[in-house]
Amino acid sequence: ETGVTQSPTHLIKTRGQQVTLRCSSQSGHNTVSWYQQALGQGPQFIFQYYREEENGRGNFPPRFSGLQFPNYSSELNVNALELDDSALYLCASSLLRDDGGYTFGSGTRLTVV
Amino acid sequence: AQKVTQAQTEISVVEKEDVTLDCVYETRDTTYYLFWYKQPPSGELVFLIRRNSFDEQNEISGRYSWNFQKSTSSFNFTITASQVVDSAVYFCALSEAGDDKIIFGKGTRLHILP
């Protein structure tokens, strides 16, 4: 069991740029979810991927998109970065319909300047 | 609609004191799951407990205990004999059965003072 790893750990981008964050799921998990955690807030659900397709989405605009690969690793892409996108982005892997058996990574802290 | 409320934004207690973190939830489903997570400064969310809506038994794990009361929609967390290493942000969260997202509260920042 390897846990969930995310890269990079920290990132600074300029407003308007695009960013890609990466997540390697825990071994055996087929589902990955992404959360955004603004400073002083709880994590908010962005979307979930299962078998390489989006399986649910929170209240985030289309400039937030993702990919899941056959090895269950995943990417979160954000286009046209805004200052409010500055946050900790957390990846969580699970088995679909396991109703909460999530393993979270340590996150990527994104700062948009 | 789903909602989790953690009314205590920040709590400070002296080491060895007991402390209770409050959590109130809202859901229209009869089947749901409640969680507590710990987030140390490193940022990782550390899973503490998951409780399903049909199991109202209180649970104790070492110095940690949880009190689930459906009648008041509460799922409170108590740390007994607190230690400095317990200092962190604690999140209560809710997931409805068949829904793949977790709804988090805003968290309670706990300071354990030596």
Side-chain angles (χ1 to χ4, degrees), chain B residues 24-45:
Chain B
V24 174
Y25 63 92
E26 294 176 30
T27 177
R28 283 180 277 196
D29 266 20
T30 56
T31 305
Y32 51 89
Y33 296 85
L34 297 166
F35 308 83
W36 276 95
Y37 285 89
K38 174 182 181 179
Q39 188 174 47
S42 61
E44 182 176 356
L45 282 171

Side-chain angles (χ1 to χ4, degrees), chain A residues 33 35 37 40-45 48 55 88 90 96-102 104-107, chain B residues 33 35 37 39 42-45 47 50 91 95-107:
Chain A
S33 303
Y35 288 79
Q37 186 180 9
Q41 302 294 315
Q44 288 200 310
F45 177 73
Q48 183 184 85
N55 187 52
L88 179 68
L90 294 161
L96 188 67
R97 300 292 183 239
D98 191 33
D99 291 316
Y102 297 95
F104 281 86
S106 296
Chain B
Y33 296 85
F35 308 83
Y37 285 89
Q39 188 174 47
S42 61
E44 182 176 356
L45 282 171
F47 169 82
R50 176 177 68 178
F91 290 97
S95 177
E96 294 175 345
D99 192 354
D100 299 299
K101 66 179 181 290
I102 302 177
I103 303 298
F104 287 86
K106 291 190 175 182

Side-chain angles (χ1 to χ4, degrees), chain B residues 47-113:
Chain B
F47 169 82
L48 297 178
I49 189 172
R50 176 177 68 178
R51 172 68 65 199
N52 76 55
S53 52
F54 296 109
D55 183 1
E56 284 194 75
Q57 280 194 339
N58 291 330
E59 181 156 338
I60 298 174
S61 176
R63 296 184 297 106
Y64 295 170
S65 62
W66 290 270
N67 183 355
F68 176 27
Q69 292 195 341
K70 285 177 79 169
S71 61
T72 56
S73 297
S74 65
F75 187 44
N76 296 338
F77 171 35
T78 297
I79 301 175
T80 303
S82 59
Q83 299 176 2
V84 173
V85 293
D86 296 327
S87 298
V89 181
Y90 290 84
F91 290 97
C92 180
L94 164 72
S95 177
E96 294 175 345
D99 192 354
D100 299 299
K101 66 179 181 290
I102 302 177
I103 303 298
F104 287 86
K106 291 190 175 182
T108 297
R109 184 174 296 277
L110 179 63
H111 301 277
I112 307 299
L113 308 173

Side-chain angles (χ1 to χ4, degrees), chain A residues 42-109:
Chain A
Q44 288 200 310
F45 177 73
I46 302 174
F47 45 54
Q48 183 184 85
Y49 278 78
Y50 170 65
R51 291 186 175 176
E52 304 173 50
E53 294 202 0
E54 191 177 286
N55 187 52
R57 189 178 185 91
N59 189 25
F60 281 82
R63 61 189 184 85
F64 285 78
S65 63
L67 285 172
Q68 185 185 30
F69 301 100
N71 66 354
Y72 303 133
S73 65
S74 173
E75 290 181 353
L76 164 65
N77 299 289
V78 187
N79 294 323
L81 284 166
E82 301 177 359
L83 297 179
D84 284 349
D85 296 333
S86 297
L88 179 68
Y89 287 86
L90 294 161
C91 169
S93 72
S94 64
L95 288 172
L96 188 67
R97 300 292 183 239
D98 191 33
D99 291 316
Y102 297 95
T103 302
F104 281 86
S106 296
T108 294
R109 186 163 296 282

